[in-house]
Amino acid sequence: MPGGSHHTMELSYGLEYRLVKPNGIDREFIGKVLDMFSGASISVLLVSVSMEEVAVAHIRRFGRELLGTIPIQGGGKEGEDSLDRFRRSLRNALTQVKQWVQVRRPTHIVVVGNHMTLSIARDVINDELNKLGISIIYHEQGEGGLAGIYEFERVGVDVLKKLNISLGQEYVDEVFSRLGMNNGLVAVGIDEVRKALEFGAVETMIVLDETYKERGGGEMKDLMGMVLRTRANLVIIPSSTEGGEKLRSIGGIAALLRFPISSQP
């Protein structure tokens, strides 16, 4: 339509759509979008177990949502030792976890915690969750519970990569690493990123999801067009993650560069 107007429509999985425009379709742009969102239906229910609590989060390709925490009750029955109390309370907590599974329908369950806790909890978890018919992946790390959710964002990159899920933490870490080295191989803020794109220097543009939405009009559309023309990579970082908070602190947009642009006219 004239005047640059646009339309929004809701798409549903399993249905076919045909998009027709009088002036043709930017197939490269559509292909890039489809490539970004391929595997978007893959999701993980992250179950982080400590001796005090079970914390649960839902991780999708472009975001993480904390669902809640369930305390491990300390009281027990007469003659019941501490490990038996833990296993019984964990079994009760997994009842809520199974309800989240039914609502969120994850494709995988990732269980994290330290070595000792997982060695005690594994039999109970397998007994309760294997019957759901969803793949369970165990990942040992330093912390469980709520602290384990945040630790997994930092150390669980390889696990998520195997499932075609990325929260982008490694890209944000690289931005701050290059800022610390002051090597000129990073651009921060829309003006610097635009300049870098104009010189064809951008290897990867990193944008906070809320920044993308807030500036989704002409300004961001122009940047996206330059990303496509220069064949740079685009990474959108969920605002709810630790990486998202760090990226927000420097304006919500940055770029990793192929070469410095500070000396360019």
Side-chain angles (χ1 to χ4, degrees), residues 21-217:
K21 292 183 66 178
N23 297 323
I25 299 171
D26 187 338
R27 294 184 180 275
E28 184 181 7
F29 177 79
I30 296 298
K32 190 84 170 181
V33 171
L34 291 177
D35 181 61
M36 284 176 57
F37 285 93
S38 62
S41 61
I42 296 173
S43 69
V44 164
L45 196 77
L46 179 63
V47 181
S48 181
V49 184
S50 72
M51 299 300 289
E52 293 78 30
E53 66 181 1
V54 176
V56 183
H58 188 210
I59 301 176
R60 289 162 290 187
R61 188 173 181 189
F62 294 106
R64 186 268 296 159
E65 178 187 2
L66 180 65
L67 299 182
T69 59
I70 310 164
I72 297 295
Q73 303 297 329
K77 301 176 181 178
E78 184 178 352
E80 190 178 45
D81 64 26
S82 59
L83 292 184
D84 286 338
R85 285 198 298 272
F86 169 76
R87 292 188 180 99
R88 179 174 55 79
S89 185
L90 174 61
R91 196 177 296 275
N92 292 335
L94 291 174
T95 300
Q96 175 63 58
V97 172
K98 287 186 286 186
Q99 291 177 4
W100 278 320
V101 169
Q102 295 300 320
V103 173
R104 299 304 176 113
R105 300 187 178 276
T107 54
H108 298 78
I109 297 172
V110 174
V111 181
V112 301
N114 64 39
H115 175 77
M116 183 190 74
T117 303
L118 290 186
S119 64
I120 297 171
R122 188 181 294 255
D123 287 345
V124 175
I125 293 170
N126 286 341
D127 185 47
E128 291 294 324
L129 300 186
N130 271 342
K131 62 187 71 173
L132 299 174
I134 300 174
S135 174
I136 301 175
I137 300 168
Y138 286 90
H139 177 74
E140 291 186 4
Q141 56 185 42
E143 297 281 353
L146 184 58
I149 297 290
Y150 299 113
E151 180 179 356
F152 185 77
E153 289 183 2
R154 299 189 299 271
V155 305
V157 172
D158 290 340
V159 176
L160 294 177
K161 273 186 176 179
K162 291 177 182 178
L163 302 177
N164 196 30
I165 296 174
S166 174
L167 298 179
Q169 179 71 42
E170 65 272 31
Y171 293 98
V172 178
D173 288 344
E174 182 63 20
V175 166
F176 279 84
S177 174
R178 295 188 186 190
L179 284 172
M181 291 187 288
N182 196 28
N183 57 15
L185 292 176
V186 62
V188 175
I190 284 184
D191 291 340
E192 283 191 19
V193 170
R194 181 186 293 108
K195 181 180 177 182
L197 284 166
E198 289 171 350
F199 283 109
V202 174
E203 181 178 64
T204 303
M205 186 172 83
I206 303 132
V207 184
L208 189 67
D209 58 359
E210 63 187 31
T211 302
Y212 187 90
K213 294 172 185 176
E214 290 169 0
R215 300 175 177 264

